[in-house]
Amino acid sequence: MKTIFNSLLVLAAIAFSAFAFTACEDEPDKYEISGGNPVIRYIRPLGLESGDSIITGAYMDNRICIVGENLRSITKMLFNDQEAQLIPSLITDHTLIVTVPGTVPGEVFNKIFMINNSNDTTTYDFKVLVPGPTIISMGNEWAPAGDVQTIYGSYFIDDPNVPITLTIAGQEIPFDKEQFDGNHITFTVPEGLPEGDIEVTTVYGTQKAPFRYKDSRGMITNFDGEGNSGTKGIVPQGWNLAMTYSNEGGIDGYYVQVGDGTLKMPADGGWTEGFKISWWCGNWNGDPMSITEGAGVPVRNLFPAGYFGEPEKLAFKFELCIPASNPWMAGVLQVLFLNNKVAANDTWQNNTYIQPETGMCRGLYAPWSGSGSFDTGGKWITVTMPISNFTYNMDGTAGMVPITPESFDTFTMWPVSGGLQGTECAPILRYDNIRIVPIN
């Protein structure tokens, strides 16, 4: 192995040694490269002093400690074919601390190559462990057939001997290998693809996504009259609602729209009820908890018993579409669940429940806050809001009344307040497939 990398490393080795020795002439206490070849006795994880913790491999980007002799003779180090950064202050004659390169090897030798000042190469058996694929998100989890979609993640590696595969609902999905990299896979949704799990498989393993394609497990409403398990989904019910329904340009039947392109949202997100969607349980003529179907059914009555037992393992999701002609530039979307606070025969049967003095915890969503404006270009995207993040008050401060399993009776979606200053706008917001689903 002595000459494998010689032609590639001569100039680098000479440059490194020239710099080091020049520096040492000026500052005698500076790092000096020694002669001879290095010897590795063992490698251990950083922070573990005992030689009992010997390792023969490490994951990319992990720091390790090499223990041996004459380690200051090393001028360059490679893990497989990827160069590691050597920091002189972390090298002594007997120890060398280094970070395993974070780039996937092009060729796998399962060796460390150490080059000294004479351009001699010493090798040591060591495996660079590459994680299996990780799936983070999908642009639109309810994308219809023919849509071009992207799955985002990391370590999407296509090995010539074990090609990468994408599987949805048990069906392998073809995609252009030239149109993907280690962080995303772009594909066209095929006809007839049913609801199901999403998996990516590489030579380093298989990973299931923490979401499903067309997940309907916790469907509150898809605006087509169907909720979870074939029951009637709840429909918007409350005061001063001004939404419209359409299936033009939708992804799954009908969707609901708030904002008509002329209704203004103040720069401070001030109170504008025309952007509100409410699901108030009850019929104002009796016990709201007695409603079992139709408009007044409590949200949690739509789902199996115990579904909300661990809210921290759930996420509120919906599909969102905002045309470029009417971007969203003010008002923070507040998603607020509350236990029977606006139902019949209750003193909260008004809009005070959303006010900051109530301290009711809620989720906040304001994608425009970074750039000052947000739209989806008329396309549909999936928005995910983990229930564990429902910790805010109306003005963006910390909420005082936490969300509990009993909270899932009534809820409201409303871009209002949030404590952010934006720009007056006339946004058009379209919603579909409003749901609460497990995040696996």
Side-chain angles (χ1 to χ4, degrees):
M1 299 298 296
K2 182 174 180 179
T3 59
I4 288 180
F5 297 101
N6 285 359
S7 60
L8 297 176
L9 305 179
V10 169
L11 293 178
I14 293 174
F16 183 98
S17 58
F19 169 79
F21 284 120
T22 300
C24 289
E25 289 174 2
D26 297 334
E27 301 178 63
D29 294 332
K30 283 289 187 178
Y31 176 84
E32 288 188 27
I33 297 173
S34 61
N37 290 311
V39 175
I40 295 179
R41 298 301 180 189
Y42 61 88
I43 299 176
R44 58 176 170 80
L46 187 63
L48 297 177
E49 301 300 330
S50 172
D52 294 337
S53 301
I54 295 174
I55 58 176
T56 58
Y59 280 101
M60 297 188 302
D61 288 320
N62 277 10
R63 299 183 83 189
I64 58 174
C65 181
I66 297 173
V67 179
E69 285 85 47
N70 200 31
L71 299 183
R72 286 195 298 143
S73 67
I74 300 171
T75 61
K76 191 166 187 175
M77 176 178 287
L78 294 97
F79 290 75
N80 295 309
D81 59 357
Q82 298 299 314
E83 184 177 356
Q85 181 182 9
L86 296 179
I87 301 176
S89 61
L90 300 180
I91 304 174
T92 70
D93 283 333
H94 300 289
T95 61
L96 185 154
I97 296 173
V98 66
T99 299
V100 179
T103 303
V104 177
E107 290 188 76
V108 177
F109 303 105
N110 290 325
K111 291 183 182 295
I112 297 174
F113 298 97
M114 296 161 285
I115 297 88
N116 69 4
N117 195 41
S118 299
N119 208 34
D120 293 331
T121 300
T122 303
T123 66
Y124 184 82
D125 291 339
F126 193 79
K127 293 182 178 180
V128 173
L129 306 177
V130 181
T134 298
I135 305 172
I136 298 173
S137 65
M138 178 174 168
N140 177 4
E141 297 171 16
W142 272 78
D147 245 25
V148 176
Q149 284 297 309
T150 299
I151 290 176
Y152 300 91
S154 57
Y155 300 112
F156 294 159
I157 298 165
D158 189 33
D159 185 271
N161 298 313
V162 184
I164 185 173
T165 61
L166 168 64
T167 303
I168 302 179
Q171 178 178 334
E172 185 171 337
I173 308 299
F175 62 94
D176 189 348
K177 296 295 181 64
E178 296 182 359
Q179 298 297 317
F180 98 106
D181 59 25
N183 299 313
H184 77 273
I185 298 173
T186 299
F187 66 99
T188 300
V189 179
E191 293 285 345
L193 191 62
E195 174 180 349
D197 291 329
I198 299 171
E199 293 184 337
V200 172
T201 298
T202 72
V203 65
Y204 299 105
T206 297
Q207 178 64 50
K208 185 172 72 172
F211 54 89
R212 288 183 182 178
Y213 175 66
K214 289 191 173 180
D215 196 346
S216 64
R217 288 174 292 178
M219 187 67 69
I220 295 173
T221 182
N222 59 11
F223 304 106
D224 297 319
E226 293 296 325
N228 191 54
S229 303
T231 63
K232 288 294 182 181
I234 60 176
V235 296
Q237 174 173 281
W239 289 352
N240 302 320
L241 303 183
M243 74 283 297
T244 58
Y245 293 85
S246 176
N247 60 5
E248 183 178 349
I251 52 173
D252 179 50
Y254 283 85
Y255 58 86
V256 73
Q257 174 178 309
V258 292
D260 59 6
T262 63
L263 181 64
K264 298 293 186 180
M265 171 68 68
D268 63 355
W271 200 277
T272 309
E273 292 194 355
F275 292 106
K276 178 178 66 176
I277 299 177
S278 292
W279 282 264
W280 292 2
C281 64
N283 60 7
W284 293 277
N285 292 311
D287 178 12
M289 297 299 103
S290 66
I291 306 297
T292 58
E293 64 178 15
V297 65
V299 173
R300 60 190 169 103
N301 285 4
L302 293 171
F303 308 116
Y307 194 79
F308 298 108
E310 298 178 283
E312 68 277 6
K313 295 183 179 180
L314 301 171
F316 179 78
K317 291 194 176 191
F318 58 94
E319 272 62 58
L320 174 67
C321 176
I322 305 175
S325 59
N326 293 84
W328 182 13
M329 297 186 289
V332 177
L333 181 65
Q334 310 213 9
V335 180
L336 176 62
F337 290 91
L338 60 164
N339 179 219
N340 191 19
K341 291 298 183 184
V342 291
N345 304 320
D346 194 296
T347 57
W348 287 48
Q349 195 184 63
N350 50 54
N351 285 328
T352 60
Y353 68 93
I354 202 169
Q355 298 281 19
E357 57 265 24
T358 67
M360 306 292 293
C361 285
R362 68 206 71 194
L364 302 181
Y365 177 64
W368 57 265
S369 63
S371 64
S373 180
F374 179 76
D375 66 80
T376 67
K379 297 181 179 180
W380 289 89
I381 65 169
T382 296
V383 176
T384 300
M385 301 175 64
I387 297 297
S388 60
N389 291 344
F390 280 50
T391 59
Y392 299 98
N393 207 339
M394 182 184 185
D395 56 3
T397 59
M400 301 301 293
V401 182
I403 192 169
T404 67
E406 290 71 35
S407 300
F408 296 96
D409 286 336
T410 293
F411 79 99
T412 291
M413 295 177 64
W414 190 356
V416 59
S417 185
L420 296 179
Q421 184 73 18
T423 303
E424 183 183 78
C425 55
I428 291 176
L429 307 174
R430 296 167 181 160
Y431 306 111
D432 203 356
N433 301 318
I434 295 176
R435 59 199 185 274
I436 299 174
V437 298
I439 40 181
N440 301 327

